[in-house]
Amino acid sequence: MAEITLKSLAHTYLENPKSSQDYAIRELNHVWQQGGAYALLGPSGCGKSTLLNIISGLLEPSSGEVLFDGEVVNDLPPEARNIAQVFQFPVIYDTMTVYDNLAFPLRNVKTPEARVHERVMEVADVLELTSQLKRKAKNLTADEKQKVSMGRGLVRDDVSAILFDEPLTVIDPQLKWTLRRKLKDIHQRFQITMVYVTHDQLEASTFADKIAVMYEGQVVQFGTPRELFETPNHTFVGYFIGSPGMNFLDVSARDGAVWAGDTALTVEQGVRDAIEKASSSNIKLGIRPEFIEVHTEPVEGGMSAQVDHAQDLGTYSIVYLTLGGISLKARIEEDQTTPTGTAWLRFPDERLGLYVDEYRVEVDHE
Ligand code: ADP
Ligand code: MG
């Protein structure tokens, strides 16, 4: 088992990269601590598989270092890194039985046959494959094959880490939920470092204690699901996490006020100071739909917004608003009155984020 450190990692698939756009991984620094249950979350094409393959040694990075427990492993081949990897699609031996498929990684490292049996039975039990053990893998359904593939990843308890690359893609939705829970149980039982790649925020937060959000080849935030929700460090995290995602308003400071289009916003002094100090004109305020206060009557500090429409989702509604020419979404609970025509909005100071060049910056609260 190991702590995995990625130091100034970069990777390009091109012979002659010209700009940062040509890199699948860009200057990435990250630490996966020993024993954690982690998710690597990001949209398709952001570099998740590239990163896993660099960790397991299937791919050599263009630059930077991979360290296991402080030792550089760049020159070690995959076998020597002692990492189990489960891919998106089943990797199994069709002509072998399910039992032999599960036993393979153990026999490969000369595990005594009694121990092989013990582990195979244990993993088969967890994955509900016990009744299938004697079958040839080629006769299994796609779901079952992927379960065998996952079992092959889980069967060794002496690996440095287990990497899962969107392992539930081919699994039926109902079974998905069960398997995710099982992975979590397995993690709790064995305390092996696990990195679970997904593009699905729900999948990430049910499995992981901490999530690394990846965007354009970089980890833009590493935090608990709650931290990602409450204080997104990057506009992408705000937008990607949550449903609907965070609202962002392009703003500027002028004449002692903060403006979104032609509307002066009611924000605390600290926000105005930080905007005036910013060295970029790419400045955004971010607020989650859940945290916008929506009033049907004028209130002190309330900013008047046009109500475009509301979408009733049962226990809550999403209200679509326009403030200073900018579209916003606000979530209101079922016991609140849905506004029509005009609404008065307030952004609670502690819920408002300030973003300069897409990254969150500190604001002094009085
Ligand atoms: P993800 O797993 O997050 O979907 P990938 O790591 O597969 O992302 O891909 C990251 C980027 O690298 C994408 O732009 C993809 O097109 C590119 N890429 C991935 N694999 C290769 C490859 N073997 N050759 C060239 N480009 C690749
Ligand atoms: Mg991928």
Side-chain angles (χ1 to χ4, degrees):
M1 300 192 208
E3 174 181 278
I4 300 172
T5 306
L6 308 172
K7 227 188 223 172
S8 303
L9 212 57
H11 189 72
T12 178
Y13 289 99
L14 304 182
E15 293 267 332
N16 298 303
K18 291 184 180 63
S19 70
S20 62
Q21 304 292 331
D22 292 338
Y23 281 79
I25 304 290
R26 302 182 195 174
E27 269 303 301
L28 193 148
N29 292 290
H30 192 71
V31 178
W32 306 108
Q33 276 171 357
Q34 151 54 28
Y38 300 114
L40 182 61
L41 172 69
S44 177
C46 73
K48 303 182 297 297
S49 296
T50 301
L51 191 61
L52 282 203
N53 293 341
I54 289 173
I55 295 172
S56 64
L58 293 176
L59 195 64
E60 189 188 336
S62 306
S63 60
E65 290 178 335
V66 179
L67 299 94
F68 290 179
D69 288 332
E71 301 277 333
V72 178
V73 298
N74 284 46
D75 293 332
L76 291 186
E79 317 79 79
R81 294 194 189 187
N82 213 16
I83 295 261
Q85 192 168 4
V86 178
F87 301 90
Q88 201 165 2
F89 300 101
V91 179
I92 53 173
Y93 297 103
D94 263 347
T95 55
M96 285 186 192
T97 60
V98 170
Y99 187 102
D100 288 340
N101 262 289
L102 294 176
F104 191 88
L106 295 166
R107 290 176 174 155
N108 211 18
V109 292
K110 313 258 182 296
T111 310
E113 210 45 39
R115 178 69 185 146
V116 170
H117 185 70
E118 210 172 80
R119 284 295 297 168
V120 168
M121 296 314 283
E122 202 171 353
V123 166
D125 179 50
V126 171
L127 294 171
E128 292 169 24
L129 285 169
T130 310
S131 63
Q132 317 278 345
L133 285 170
K134 293 205 175 79
R135 292 179 67 192
K136 285 269 197 290
K138 66 168 176 280
N139 299 327
L140 303 175
T141 64
D143 276 3
E144 288 165 342
K145 283 185 182 172
Q146 184 64 358
K147 283 207 283 182
V148 174
S149 203
M150 287 173 73
R152 286 165 51 97
L154 294 168
V155 78
R156 283 180 58 195
D157 57 7
D158 61 341
V159 290
S160 303
I162 310 179
L163 312 178
F164 298 93
D165 196 348
E166 314 214 31
L168 303 181
T169 310
V170 295
I171 302 274
D172 150 273
Q174 266 182 324
L175 188 62
K176 253 186 196 174
W177 194 85
T178 320
L179 287 180
R180 226 159 41 210
R181 286 296 330 162
K182 284 188 191 281
L183 283 182
K184 184 125 189 138
D185 293 346
I186 292 169
H187 177 263
Q188 274 156 2
R189 249 169 53 205
F190 301 112
Q191 298 293 312
I192 297 177
T193 312
M194 290 189 184
V195 180
Y196 186 101
V197 165
T198 176
H199 60 268
D200 180 336
Q201 54 171 309
L202 202 69
E203 217 170 285
S205 51
T206 37
F207 173 75
D209 307 323
K210 263 182 114 174
I211 300 174
V213 181
M214 206 168 166
Y215 174 63
E216 293 187 343
Q218 290 184 306
V219 171
V220 288
Q221 189 166 7
F222 184 45
T224 62
R226 187 182 177 140
E227 285 162 352
L228 300 180
F229 182 78
E230 293 190 346
T231 44
N233 192 34
H234 188 278
T235 52
F236 177 75
V237 179
Y239 151 83
F240 197 65
I241 305 278
S243 178
M246 199 168 199
N247 296 291
F248 289 102
L249 300 93
D250 281 302
V251 294
S252 56
R254 175 164 36 89
D255 308 329
V258 172
W259 300 81
D262 55 3
T263 300
L265 303 179
T266 314
V267 293
E268 64 181 320
Q269 181 70 38
V271 171
R272 203 191 315 158
D273 293 345
I275 294 175
E276 280 167 355
K277 275 203 310 237
S279 51
S280 166
S281 59
N282 174 8
I283 304 173
K284 296 184 173 87
L285 286 177
I287 182 133
R288 292 234 174 244
E290 292 81 353
F291 299 146
I292 296 182
E293 270 183 38
V294 181
H295 298 268
T296 51
E297 303 289 332
V299 284
E300 186 181 343
M303 300 168 279
S304 95
Q306 178 192 320
V307 180
D308 300 322
H309 69 281
Q311 187 183 9
D312 187 346
L313 294 167
T315 57
Y316 66 94
S317 295
I318 299 296
V319 186
Y320 292 76
L321 305 143
T322 307
L323 175 73
I326 295 167
S327 301
L328 297 178
K329 291 173 194 159
R331 173 177 161 142
I332 60 169
E333 301 310 312
E334 61 183 337
D335 57 352
Q336 275 180 278
T337 311
T338 307
T340 49
T342 303
W344 285 266
L345 312 180
R346 284 202 296 217
F347 301 155
D349 294 339
E350 68 283 5
R351 296 301 196 181
L352 193 64
L354 178 64
Y355 294 82
V356 176
D357 288 335
E358 312 306 327
Y359 280 92
R360 192 178 185 103
V361 297
E362 284 293 321
V363 168
D364 285 333
H365 300 291
E366 289 102 78

